[in-house]
Amino acid sequence: LLTRWALRPLRELSDAARTLGPDHLAQRLDLPPTPTELYPLVLSFNEALDRMEAAFRQLETFNANVAHELRSPLATLIGATQVALLHPRSAEALQEVLTDNLEDLERLAAVVRDMLFLARADHGERADAIEPLDLRVLAEETAEFFESLLAESGTQLDIRGQATVQGNTGLLKRALSNLLMN
């Protein structure tokens, strides 16, 4: 009876821990009023829950970013292919569509590669192919890629200045693309 009474706070903590789950990411265990010997255990457990919640949120953000990054190029590919299939085309016209689609597919592959790098970068991995880059040239290339989207939205882009940085071309273009998309 004495043992059951002494272990009651531990049993209550165990019951509370069973209610934790992905639907209640912010839920934490309450510190027991007594015995104080359980405080370090509860604090450590709650700190572990904090780290797990942060990791879960980071994964949600990553998934949202991947979906955002892939949506536009996929829509472009689908639309171009549907238009090409709508009416009979010459071999040259189909060749042009396939060439454009290949460019978009290469961009998609680069997006996936960059997103995978970003996921690994959170664990300390560094970017490959660091080289001096002209930011103005990258900005102009990125603006050219979004030219039709900018025109459609009535937005005008004014690129000024000159700067050179050490970086990875794909990642910097991705960052500039994100700025323009947002």
Side-chain angles (χ1 to χ4, degrees), residues 28-62:
R28 298 297 180 263
L29 295 180
D30 294 327
L31 287 171
T34 57
T36 58
E37 290 82 8
L38 293 177
Y39 277 33
L41 174 67
V42 173
L43 288 174
S44 295
F45 190 79
N46 284 342
E47 288 170 1
L49 290 174
D50 289 340
R51 290 188 299 275
M52 288 175 56
E53 180 181 7
F56 189 81
R57 297 284 182 227
Q58 187 176 19
L59 184 60
E60 283 181 330
T61 301
F62 177 77

Side-chain angles (χ1 to χ4, degrees), residues 6 15 22 26 28 32 61 66 68 94 110 114 117 128 136 141 162:
D15 291 342
R28 298 297 180 263
T61 301
V66 168
H68 177 76
L94 289 174
D114 293 346
F117 165 75
D128 295 339
R136 182 181 188 89
E141 289 173 359
Q162 198 74 30

Side-chain angles (χ1 to χ4, degrees), residues 140-153 155 180:
E140 289 170 349
E141 289 173 359
T142 305
E144 183 180 325
F145 178 72
F146 285 99
E147 187 175 347
S148 62
L149 183 64
L150 291 169
E152 188 178 300
S153 69
T155 305
L180 285 175

Side-chain angles (χ1 to χ4, degrees), residues 12-153:
E12 289 171 355
L13 282 175
S14 180
D15 291 342
R18 277 191 205 94
T19 67
L20 300 173
D23 296 336
H24 310 287
L25 289 175
Q27 185 178 343
R28 298 297 180 263
L29 295 180
D30 294 327
L31 287 171
T34 57
T36 58
E37 290 82 8
L38 293 177
Y39 277 33
L41 174 67
V42 173
L43 288 174
S44 295
F45 190 79
N46 284 342
E47 288 170 1
L49 290 174
D50 289 340
R51 290 188 299 275
M52 288 175 56
E53 180 181 7
F56 189 81
R57 297 284 182 227
Q58 187 176 19
L59 184 60
E60 283 181 330
T61 301
F62 177 77
N63 287 339
N65 287 340
V66 168
H68 177 76
E69 289 292 326
L70 297 179
R71 184 179 54 218
S72 294
L74 284 172
T76 300
L77 281 166
I78 291 168
T81 304
Q82 287 172 335
V83 168
L85 293 173
L86 199 57
H87 302 290
R89 308 255 179 222
S90 68
E92 294 82 25
L94 289 174
Q95 176 98 22
E96 184 178 329
V97 169
L98 289 173
T99 301
D100 291 344
N101 284 357
L102 180 60
E103 288 175 11
D104 286 335
L105 288 167
E106 287 171 346
R107 276 192 214 97
L108 279 172
V111 166
V112 170
R113 190 174 47 251
D114 293 346
M115 297 302 289
L116 288 172
F117 165 75
L118 291 174
R120 291 188 305 259
D122 287 339
H123 300 289
E125 187 172 317
R126 296 182 53 96
D128 295 339
I130 302 295
E131 59 187 343
L133 301 170
D134 186 333
L135 285 181
R136 182 181 188 89
V137 170
L138 287 177
E140 289 170 349
E141 289 173 359
T142 305
E144 183 180 325
F145 178 72
F146 285 99
E147 187 175 347
S148 62
L149 183 64
L150 291 169
E152 188 178 300
S153 69

